[in-house]
Amino acid sequence: MLQEEMPSPSELSGEAGELLKGLTPPQMQAVQATEGPLLVLAGAGSGKTRVITRRIAFLIHQGVPPWSILAVTFTNKAAAEMRERVLTVLGHDPKLTRGLTVTTFHSLCARLLRRYAEAANLKPEFSIYDSSDQATLAKRVIAELQLSTSNWPPRSVLSAISNAKNDLLDADEFAARAHDFYSRTVAKIYQGYAKALKLAGAVDFDGLLVLTAKLLQSNAEVRRECNERWRYLLIDEYQDTNHAQFVIASLIAGKNEEGHPPNICVVGDPDQAIYGWRGADITNILEFEKCYPGTQVITLGENFRSNAPILHAADQLIRNNQKRKHKDLFTSRKGGEHVEVTLTRDENHEAALVVDWLKSVKDERDDSPTSIAWREMAIFYRTNSLSRVMEDALRGAGVPYTIARGTAFYDREEVKNAVAYLRLVANPSDDVSLSRIVNTPTRGIGSTSFGKIEDYAAEHGTPVLHAMREAGQLLDVVGRGAAAIGKFVEMIDAWTGGGTFMGAQVSTSLADLVSRVIRESGLEAMYRTQAKASNSDADMERLDNLDELVSSARQFEMEFDAMADPAAETRNADGLARPNDQTPPLLAMLRAYLESIALVADADAVDPAQGAVTLMTLHAAKGLEFKAVAIIGLEEGQLPHSRARESQEQLEEERRLCFVGITRAMRRLHMTSSRYRTMRGIPERTIPSRFLDELPRESVRFSNQADATSGLEDFIARGEGGSGGGGGGQRYEPEGEFAAKDSKRAKLAWSSSSGTPKNAAFPVGAIVRHPQFGEGEVVSISAGVNARATIRFRGVGTKTLVLEYARLTRVK
DNA sequence: TTGCGATCCCTTTTT
DNA sequence: GGGATCGCAA
């Protein structure tokens, strides 16, 4: 039946030539080299996404059935975008992309594991555990083994387990290789952890990959089906794939059989490899050619994104990496603003400066044809902890912003609780979710009775919920506890129809189920009571978030059908049979919904439509671009991170991270380094990042705005441990603090202050014009390189502006 | 059993 | 600064 839907060339808009329009020769080559292994080395900003999109469209245009194409991207967002763009190129005919699979490794694996659950020795309702679930489970296992969590911190044990998994070692294989005390203990924990996961019917992030790889390795039938289904494989960000992903990719691509090398196309840039710490193996890309003899290699070097100084800065920086295959980055664009680098006093000063800079960039109309909108700006940082001060400053200045934290919503306590109920509904064995909500809201199942049940469950190797059903008879749980437990079990059964998901009392829609769970579990009432008692906005917001969760379920429901991943369902001409399709629709939808929640990435939250400045980590910035970019915290210990300075490899990865950040910028780039930074509540003196020294002088304008009286004295004298306490972020009182009284302190390669002091040009009483606020009168002005003027604007009110960026013109 | 307060520990990056 | 945990009081 699907054969009939195969696009005939006449249905395609335009000729193949259309698909190649506007491409450079190497880009065109990459689009057209459809057969056999292909490695595309795509430099930053070289039009990689464009090439991938056109390539998929080209394949379809050549008559390749869309369902035989599998494209793997790094984030869901990238996948959705790619699908959309392919559709656009093909003239918005949904029929043409029907069955096309564009997804992430993790989603793909989750799909495959559900589909082949039996072969993978899993229950199809398995839960996906995120890192906090993993930690909960690991803690329990460590305790059961009578080990202390201080000697065996769950997080580091988990990271050892994660490394093992990335190398495709299961618990027993790992144990067999463990010889020293440490790894033997880790092996024990790993084995206990694996057992606990199994019992809970749960799979962790790494597990999705491992289990899929093992499934494909061990099961010829599954492998055959995948090979037949997907004939064209395309993998983006290949430099960041780990060993497990490599194995999955090569198994799906198939072996070099019958003299036909697989049609596998990988795209990546070794200079942007930033996930070594989580097992990404850069040799995957460097040795792709060895792995696939006859590989065609195409290099895309021309940059279409950044202006010349930005690109030059990036290029010079990355040249400092020793372990690197040099690739020329070039652009034919001329001109463009210098990269700005500013040394600030502390994080508040830094934040204020960045805010001012963003404002000035937004208002800038004199020197550039168009101003840059908020949504085209971004602020990057190495660690999440740097966002807080920045947020305060943005909020204080009334600049709209969003943080790219995909999981932020689902990380909220109230949402996590509701989701835990849902996970238990979908998977009654999910002990981690159960223990989270069994007494939330409090319903008289305290740790004593629940502990007994857990012990009983552990002893009998049964899921805890199952043990609860028998608690009444079997345990010495006294009256009150037993009744509460009985009620809890009944409540769950009512939602699931006793596990059948059938019957009149079961919800017919996902949104209804979610809203019922929130109401009947008592979560809503609990938060309502809390909100009334405290009368705080934060508590009111919890209720809103629960409503929002219902909406998200409703939206998911609407898109679920149309969402067309017939991908996983569609069969090819050979008619791949799909095993057990007996799943009740509500349950199937719930599983898919929970899966989508579990696999959101930070970068998924980047939404330019919001009209706001985007804040994110450098890692999350990969693959994106913005007209104006600020990167903060360029300090030793922060940007080459202190934990990453031990080895040359790690240092080079930090440099690549910096490189990724720089190359996101199209027109304007500003990097800041703060002389003092508050770490764990203590202000610490910092050293500017070595990466700043590696930037080319001719493309960069350095400015030292930190030197004056040292800063620390003032900082401590103000009696506020950083964080802008009372005074608040950007409303920094400059009063001479930045005046260059003590120029001896100016060190390093910092030219002290750029330009001449501007304050002389705007004496108190002068009438000035601001591009946004209009005319105003100077009320006061401070001295120094970071001079600010307080100006009373007509109708707008009084503003304090940094002269350096305010773009004031004097009227009178 | 529950709720609150003190204390301790921490800190990279993420699917 | 802040989150998690633990202990103690009601």
Side-chain angles (χ1 to χ4, degrees):
Chain A
M1 121 201 139
L2 285 160
Q3 280 298 41
E4 292 159 16
E5 287 170 22
M6 199 168 122
S8 71
S10 60
E11 284 173 354
L12 289 160
S13 67
E15 297 298 313
E18 275 298 300
L19 297 173
L20 301 174
K21 217 166 130 188
L23 299 180
T24 63
Q27 286 179 336
M28 227 179 269
Q29 237 185 315
V31 168
Q32 289 176 289
T34 59
E35 306 302 305
L38 173 68
L39 167 62
V40 180
L41 292 169
S46 61
K48 182 185 69 168
T49 313
R50 196 167 196 216
V51 166
I52 297 175
T53 320
R54 301 282 188 106
R55 185 181 160 88
I56 295 172
F58 187 78
L59 279 168
I60 294 174
H61 179 264
Q62 297 293 98
V64 171
W67 60 84
S68 65
I69 302 171
L70 169 63
V72 182
T73 61
F74 209 66
T75 63
N76 297 301
K77 174 123 183 309
E81 248 169 42
M82 187 153 301
R83 211 177 290 123
E84 182 58 36
R85 288 180 61 166
V86 171
L87 204 54
T88 305
V89 175
L90 289 174
H92 286 287
D93 182 351
K95 248 198 298 182
L96 294 179
T97 56
R98 189 94 175 262
L100 171 69
T101 313
V102 187
T103 184
T104 64
F105 266 109
H106 290 266
S107 299
L108 175 70
C109 291
R111 287 287 155 74
L112 290 175
L113 290 176
R114 278 200 217 285
R115 177 163 172 181
Y116 300 110
E118 208 177 326
N121 193 19
L122 277 175
K123 296 191 200 127
E125 69 265 23
F126 67 83
S127 304
I128 298 173
Y129 276 4
D130 67 16
S131 21
S132 73
D133 301 318
Q134 292 180 46
T136 309
L137 205 55
K139 266 181 227 159
R140 215 162 69 202
V141 172
I142 292 166
E144 274 165 17
L145 290 170
Q146 318 276 345
L147 297 166
S148 94
T149 43
S150 44
N151 288 337
W152 304 97
R155 310 197 61 159
S156 56
V157 173
L158 280 169
S159 98
I161 293 176
S162 170
N163 288 337
K165 288 193 174 187
N166 288 154
D167 288 335
L168 294 182
L169 294 175
D170 65 27
D172 293 337
E173 289 163 339
F174 183 79
R177 266 158 237 234
H179 298 303
D180 56 304
F181 172 71
Y182 177 80
S183 49
R184 289 220 307 258
T185 313
V186 170
K188 269 189 218 146
I189 300 171
Y190 187 0
Q191 286 171 317
Y193 174 77
K195 218 172 114 194
L197 274 182
K198 182 92 198 120
L199 189 64
V203 177
D204 61 18
F205 285 135
D206 301 314
L208 291 171
L209 302 178
V210 182
L211 294 177
T212 305
K214 297 236 165 191
L215 173 68
L216 287 165
Q217 268 172 348
S218 62
N219 192 313
E221 182 54 22
V222 171
R223 196 167 59 235
R224 190 186 61 80
E225 285 190 13
C226 289
N227 290 165
E228 282 175 5
R229 160 75 197 274
W230 290 303
R231 308 265 184 182
Y232 290 85
L233 185 50
L234 201 154
I235 301 169
D236 193 14
E237 307 286 7
Y238 194 68
Q239 77 282 353
D240 283 323
T241 52
N242 62 29
H243 180 63
Q245 291 166 327
F246 167 80
V247 169
I248 292 167
S250 51
L251 288 172
I252 290 179
K255 293 250 171 56
N256 292 15
E257 282 161 19
E258 307 146 23
H260 282 94
N263 303 319
I264 177 172
C265 165
V266 301
V267 184
D269 178 6
D271 286 338
Q272 295 184 63
I274 54 176
Y275 283 101
W277 53 273
R278 74 170 198 209
D281 190 350
I282 202 165
T283 56
N284 285 351
I285 193 163
L286 298 178
E287 295 187 359
F288 184 83
E289 295 171 70
K290 275 188 205 146
C291 188
Y292 294 97
T295 292
Q296 196 179 158
V297 183
I298 296 172
T299 305
L300 306 178
E302 181 168 2
N303 180 295
F304 301 99
R305 179 187 295 148
S306 308
N307 70 25
I310 293 171
L311 194 67
H312 187 222
D315 183 54
Q316 291 299 304
L317 175 76
I318 203 66
R319 279 168 187 267
N320 289 280
N321 275 3
Q322 306 296 312
K323 244 186 98 184
R324 167 177 187 255
K325 204 165 139 188
H326 179 71
K327 172 160 52 20
D328 269 320
L329 288 173
F330 56 95
T331 177
S332 45
R333 299 174 171 200
K334 295 271 183 295
E337 293 273 345
H338 277 62
V339 173
E340 290 170 81
V341 174
T342 307
L343 180 63
T344 65
R345 276 195 359 145
D346 58 49
E347 64 269 27
N348 293 310
H349 180 202
E350 175 183 60
L353 189 120
V354 169
V355 169
D356 286 334
W357 181 71
L358 294 178
K359 282 183 167 174
S360 75
V361 165
K362 179 153 191 295
D363 295 338
E364 149 184 300
R365 296 206 182 103
D366 308 347
D367 358 333
S368 65
T370 49
S371 82
I372 298 177
W374 294 132
R375 68 185 154 80
E376 293 166 320
M377 303 182 192
I379 303 171
F380 304 151
Y381 33 80
R382 174 69 234 265
T383 59
N384 281 302
S385 59
L386 293 199
S387 75
R388 233 194 74 254
V389 174
M390 204 59 245
E391 284 180 73
D392 290 345
L394 289 163
R395 206 177 311 118
V399 174
Y401 71 91
T402 52
I403 299 197
R405 288 241 67 195
T407 55
F409 177 71
Y410 299 104
D411 277 344
R412 294 175 180 257
E413 177 205 302
E414 63 277 14
V415 177
K416 281 195 118 173
N417 285 336
V419 169
Y421 276 102
L422 293 170
R423 295 214 300 200
L424 191 61
V425 166
N427 172 15
S429 308
D430 189 337
D431 293 349
V432 170
S433 295
L434 172 63
S435 67
R436 181 180 179 95
I437 46 79
V438 69
N439 205 29
T440 308
T442 53
R443 50 170 69 89
I445 308 178
S447 48
T448 335
S449 25
F450 191 65
K452 280 183 196 160
I453 296 167
E454 279 189 313
D455 291 347
Y456 175 88
E459 224 171 275
H460 292 75
T462 138
V464 180
L465 185 63
H466 187 257
M468 287 176 79
R469 292 177 190 282
E470 299 167 4
Q473 300 97 299
L474 300 176
L475 295 168
D476 53 341
V477 177
V478 279
R480 212 177 49 209
I485 288 168
K487 269 177 83 179
F488 180 82
V489 174
E490 263 173 48
M491 176 175 77
I492 305 286
D493 284 345
W495 294 331
T496 63
T500 62
F501 287 86
M502 308 282 205
Q505 83 277 34
V506 174
S507 301
T508 47
S509 82
L510 181 65
D512 182 61
L513 175 69
V514 176
S515 107
R516 238 184 105 182
V517 164
I518 290 171
R519 209 170 344 106
E520 295 174 12
S521 65
L523 278 182
E524 193 184 61
M526 177 179 98
Y527 288 117
R528 178 150 293 144
T529 314
Q530 245 178 52
K532 275 206 187 113
S534 71
N535 202 18
S536 76
D537 286 352
D539 284 338
M540 293 303 291
E541 209 177 299
R542 291 183 193 280
L543 289 167
D544 293 342
N545 287 331
L546 291 176
D547 283 342
E548 183 58 36
L549 187 69
V550 177
S551 312
S552 91
R554 185 169 297 121
Q555 195 182 343
F556 182 84
E557 203 161 6
M558 289 192 311
E559 289 168 5
F560 186 57
D561 256 345
M563 183 161 72
D565 198 309
E569 316 304 327
T570 316
R571 279 133 265 204
N572 68 9
D574 292 27
L576 301 183
R578 184 154 190 271
N580 60 356
D581 218 342
Q582 305 304 314
T583 317
L586 178 64
L587 181 56
M589 199 182 298
L590 178 59
R591 282 178 194 166
Y593 177 59
L594 292 173
E595 183 179 304
S596 75
I597 289 175
L599 299 179
V600 282
D602 281 355
D604 293 340
V606 177
D607 181 8
Q610 297 220 13
V613 177
T614 309
L615 274 64
M616 69 183 99
T617 62
L618 285 161
H619 283 92
K622 189 173 66 157
L624 305 174
E625 62 180 22
F626 296 89
K627 285 192 180 158
V629 167
I631 308 176
I632 63 175
L634 275 115
E635 295 130 34
E636 289 293 306
Q638 188 65 231
L639 190 37
H641 195 270
S642 50
R643 296 273 307 250
R645 279 185 303 189
E646 289 147 28
S647 69
Q648 187 67 18
E649 279 84 43
Q650 288 180 321
L651 182 70
E652 297 202 347
E653 180 154 311
E654 295 292 304
R655 191 178 278 113
R656 290 194 293 269
L657 200 48
C658 188
F659 173 82
V660 166
I662 293 174
T663 51
R664 300 308 94 193
M666 302 165 81
R667 279 163 44 185
R668 303 292 305 265
L669 174 65
H670 198 152
M671 293 188 265
T672 56
S673 179
S674 187
R675 173 149 294 169
Y676 288 89
R677 188 170 296 281
T678 310
M679 308 288 284
R680 292 178 238 157
I682 301 156
E684 284 174 7
R685 171 98 193 195
T686 68
I687 299 167
S689 169
R690 71 192 72 187
F691 299 153
L692 293 176
D693 289 332
E694 296 169 0
L695 300 177
R697 295 284 170 270
E698 63 273 25
S699 304
V700 180
R701 213 166 59 216
F702 288 88
S703 159
N704 181 349
Q705 309 221 3
D707 281 310
T709 52
S710 91
L712 183 59
E713 288 84 348
D714 296 293
F715 194 65
I716 291 170
R718 286 178 353 146
E720 306 163 357
S723 97
Q730 81 295 349
R731 292 185 62 219
Y732 217 82
E733 294 305 327
E735 302 321 312
E737 283 176 3
F738 303 125
K741 285 182 205 157
D742 185 2
S743 59
K744 272 182 294 183
R745 288 179 188 267
K747 289 193 191 98
L748 295 149
W750 301 87
S751 66
S752 66
S753 130
S754 65
T756 50
K758 292 190 176 172
N759 46 345
F762 304 104
V764 173
I767 304 296
V768 296
R769 173 176 291 283
H770 184 273
Q772 193 184 351
F773 304 131
E775 276 187 13
E777 184 189 345
V778 178
V779 178
S780 70
I781 193 152
S782 65
V785 289
N786 195 38
R788 284 152 185 257
T790 306
I791 300 160
R792 196 184 305 119
F793 290 104
R794 284 164 207 159
V796 184
T798 305
K799 305 268 176 192
T800 303
L801 305 170
V802 178
L803 292 182
E804 180 78 14
Y805 299 117
R807 305 203 174 263
L808 294 172
T809 45
R810 188 160 174 189
V811 178
K812 207 174 93 188

